[in-house]
Amino acid sequence: MTEPPALKPAQLKRKRFSFVWLVPLIAIGIAAYLGLRTLAQQGPLLTLQFDTAQGLVAGQTQVKYKAMTLGTLETIDLSRNNRHVIAHVRMNNIGARFLTSHARFWVVRPHFSFKDPSGLDTLVSGAFIGVDPGAPGGKPQSHFVGLEQPPGVRSDVAGRTFVLRAKDIGSLNTGSPVFYRDVQVGEVLGYDLGNGLGPAKIRIFVRAPFDNLVKPASLFWNSSGITAGIIGGAFHIEVQSIQALVTGGVTFALPPRADNDKPSPSEAVFPLYPTHEAAETAGYQTQLPVVSYFTSSVSGLTEGAPVMFLGIQVGVVSKLKLVVDLHSALIRAKVEMRLQPGRIFPNPQALQSINEITEFQKLVDRGMRVEIATGNIVTGQKIIAFTMVPHAKPASVTHEHNMMVLPSQPGGLDAIMQSLASVSAKLDKLPIQQIGDNMNKLIVTANRTLEHAPIDHTLNAVSQTAQSTNQLLKSLNRSYGPDSDFEINLERLISQSNQTLQSVQQLTNYLSQHPQAVLFGRSKR
């Protein structure tokens, strides 16, 4: 038997490439592309330092500028000393341009503020990190210390900053508004007390174009709180605005004479006056210092109180001081004042050629005196009043340390009390006890006289006399009454007397015209 031929194993033909493998390859390619694109679009990592992480949520809180997203918060951590919060923010390509040394970051949380009411939007959208890029040209930087409050001045807002010097800042704080003619034109950036002994420095920002209204002659005053007083017999309350009432405020004005002056440069320094009246007073360049001494109480009189002449303000009180003379044991209150001729005369420069002492002496000779008057009955505020006193005692105007000394007199309640004291002193000098004793003696003597005299007999005699007088008058009326002989004769006598008087008057007239008739008689014609 022959063996059958051996069978060759079958060989399968496999395809070297299958389209099935395209799917994972394409997926890998897409993933790689997206990864590279994400890495290409991913910006640098930003590190921010804040005092608290309130409102910050990793993966949700975003960095925004003008409502545009620049990055997202990735992680939150504590600093090594556990005093601060470190926030790591991944910026996008656009946000990478903001990472310079001039940039500032802060957290916008839900809050209500007159300064920045935009914080109310975060009640719905949540807190976000705000950024101000600052001026161009800063150095690259990736670590920043965040602000706890939004900055008062943004780099995209035109304007200038100025410095105000004040003794007290009152209720002013960062974000307090700055007003010009009741329009908010800026805000307070902050303040610096320095060493605590000198004036405080307050930095303000005024937006353009209102910053051009700040000139060397501009006047600034603190407009915080409420101003109350009696004006024209009515109680008057003045409030700058509700915002200034809550957060404080600064107001400035430009005198008309400074209309053509050039605007002040940035960081120019101005004094901040406590009230509008104080600022207006400082606007008068011509100041005439005078002083008066008072022996009565000056309670209620303060620095800045007005000086009035016939109801018109002519100056302010500048200083109060107690002066004690140990040699004469005389204690007086020294009141220094600054008179402002610009309130009365349209051209105060013309007063420079006038001798003030001579002119004031003329007024003093006519009775001008300085007294303390009541300016506000409700608050007890006192003012200085120049009054004209009739029949005033002679006084002289003297000079003391480049200031005129004007004579004074008590005024208001002090004058009334002084008059009452004078009357009381005169009453004390009357012999009241002696007068009373004499009156008692007179009454006793009268009582004794009435008790021993025949009063009834005297009264009867008086009654009989009155009856006799009445009968006499009736008899005269019958004898000399109407149509009697006496009345007819009396009428004739009166008629003849009138004729005689007429003849005498004619003779007198003739003699006044012809006096020579006394010697030569009446001339014949």
Side-chain angles (χ1 to χ4, degrees), residues 84-232:
H84 306 285
V85 173
I86 306 299
H88 301 281
V89 179
R90 180 65 65 178
M91 303 293 286
N92 56 28
N93 289 336
I94 300 177
R97 294 180 294 180
F98 288 72
L99 303 183
T100 65
S101 57
H102 295 166
R104 293 174 294 177
F105 295 86
W106 66 94
V107 179
V108 181
R109 300 182 177 92
H111 69 286
F112 175 77
S113 172
F114 287 105
K115 171 189 173 184
D116 187 14
S118 61
L120 296 176
D121 298 340
T122 59
L123 291 173
V124 178
S125 61
F128 63 90
I129 300 175
V131 57
D132 178 37
K139 298 179 180 180
Q141 185 174 329
S142 61
H143 179 79
F144 296 87
V145 177
L147 305 176
E148 293 304 315
Q149 297 293 336
V153 181
R154 310 290 175 86
S155 58
D156 57 346
V157 179
R160 275 175 283 184
T161 58
F162 303 97
V163 179
L164 306 180
R165 297 167 62 91
K167 181 179 180 181
D168 301 307
I169 65 173
S171 58
L172 295 178
N173 207 335
T174 302
S176 297
V178 177
F179 295 99
Y180 178 79
R181 294 186 178 180
D182 297 332
V183 177
Q184 183 176 351
V185 297
E187 60 187 19
V188 176
L189 302 180
Y191 57 87
D192 181 14
L193 298 179
N195 58 4
L197 301 177
K201 295 181 180 180
I202 304 170
R203 298 185 72 251
I204 65 171
F205 175 76
V206 180
R207 299 190 305 271
F210 303 102
D211 56 341
N212 291 327
L213 297 174
V214 180
K215 300 181 180 181
S218 296
L219 301 174
F220 291 81
W221 65 90
N222 194 329
S223 56
S224 306
I226 301 176
T227 302
I230 297 179
I231 300 178

Side-chain angles (χ1 to χ4, degrees), residues 473-488:
L473 291 175
K474 291 181 179 179
S475 178
L476 290 174
N477 188 29
R478 288 193 300 268
S479 301
Y480 301 100
D483 299 331
S484 62
D485 295 338
F486 177 78
E487 183 179 4
I488 295 173

